[in-house]
Amino acid sequence: MTGTTDPADWDQRRTSFGSVAAEYAAHRPGYPPDAVAFLLGGRPRRVLDLGAGTGLLTDVLVAAGHEVLAVDPSAEMLGQLSARHPGIPVEVGGAEVIPVPDASVDAVVAGQAAHWFDPEPAAAELRRVLRPGGVVGFVWNVRDETVPWVAALGAALAAEARGHEADQGVVARFAAALPADVATAGSAIVQRVTPEQVVGGIGTRSYVATMTADARAAFLGGIRDLLATHPDTRGRDVLDLPHRTDAYRLTPR
C-alpha cells in the first residue's frame, strides 16, 4: 500500500477477488516454469504460496516437485485452489499476519499478489516464517503492449486502471524492510484465448470487480466492441494474448 492510497479503497480492492473467484481461475494466465526455477532453484523445497488465490502459481510449484502450503485472504479463491489441489493445506490469512509457525518454510512466493501487501509488517512476518537460508520470490505477469491490439486494449483500460495496476515498485520497499539482496529475471507466457475469455479476464481486475453491475456491464461491453472492430482481432475466434513475466528473488541478509 502506498502512502497516497486511500486505505478503505485499497482494502476494498484487495478483498474484491472472492466475488470473481471462478472467473479468475478460468481466465487469468499461469506462470512459466523457468520463472519458478529462477526463484527457487532445482531442489524441492517447502514453499508458502502467499496470496495464492486460485492456485495459478501453485500449479507450477507442484509440477516442479515442491511441497506447498497456501494462504490467501479469500476463502472463495482458496476454494478454487482446493478443487484443483485437494491435498494442499490452505489457510485464510494475509501477509501482515501469516497463519503459519515460525521458521516453518524454505521459501515464500507470491504471484500477482505482493503489491497488495503492506511491506513493513509483511517483511517482519516473512522473516518470522522463513527458515535460515530461505528466500522470497515475487512474480508478476504483465500484458505485452508491444503487440498493437494489446496496446489498444491497454489504452481502453487506462482510465479505469490508473492507480490500480500492479506496482512492482513494492519490491524495493521489501528489499529495504527485510533487508534483502534482489535478483531479477524475465520470461514470457502466451494465453490462447477467445475474445470472450479476454473480456472475462478483464472482469477479474480489481477495478472492474468493484464496479456496480451496470457500470461493469457497460465497461466490458466497450472491450467487446474493441475486440470486434480492431483489425488484428476482428473476426478471429482465438487470440494469442502475450504477457511479460517479471520475477524477483529476494535473499534476506
Side-chain angles (χ1 to χ4, degrees), residues 64-151:
H66 299 291
E67 177 190 355
V68 182
L69 49 155
V71 169
D72 193 85
S74 168
E76 294 86 356
M77 296 284 272
L78 289 174
Q80 295 289 323
L81 186 154
S82 293
R84 300 221 299 265
H85 299 288
I88 288 180
V90 300
E91 292 283 351
V92 174
E96 297 78 20
V97 182
I98 301 173
V100 303
D102 296 357
S104 59
V105 295
D106 300 309
V108 180
V109 297
Q112 222 73 19
H115 54 287
W116 295 119
F117 304 163
D118 195 354
E120 285 69 29
E125 281 290 89
L126 295 178
R127 278 275 187 186
R128 180 183 67 79
V129 303
L130 281 172
R131 293 169 177 162
V135 298
V136 176
F138 296 150
V139 60
W140 284 273
N141 289 319
V142 181
R143 288 184 305 273
D144 181 359
E145 296 190 359
T146 63
V147 175
W149 79 264
V150 183

Side-chain angles (χ1 to χ4, degrees), residues 15-24 74 76-77 203-204 208-210 216:
T15 58
S16 67
F17 299 105
S19 65
V20 292
E23 293 85 354
Y24 196 110
S74 168
E76 294 86 356
M77 296 284 272
T204 68
V208 181
T210 54
R216 184 164 55 249

Side-chain angles (χ1 to χ4, degrees), residues 153-239:
L153 177 64
L157 301 176
E160 292 293 340
R162 190 172 295 114
H164 292 244
E165 294 286 22
D167 178 8
Q168 298 181 33
V170 75
V171 174
R173 291 183 62 191
F174 270 98
L178 280 166
D181 297 318
V182 181
T184 63
S187 187
I189 193 165
V190 177
Q191 286 181 285
R192 289 189 59 77
V193 287
T194 67
E196 193 57 30
Q197 287 172 326
V198 175
V199 174
I202 298 302
T204 68
R205 301 289 167 175
S206 63
Y207 53 89
V208 181
T210 54
M211 290 177 178
T212 66
D214 288 347
R216 184 164 55 249
F219 184 72
L220 295 179
I223 302 303
R224 287 188 184 90
D225 290 345
L226 183 152
L227 297 175
T229 58
H230 192 281
D232 294 343
T233 55
R234 183 176 57 232
R236 293 182 57 188
D237 295 329
V238 179
L239 306 171

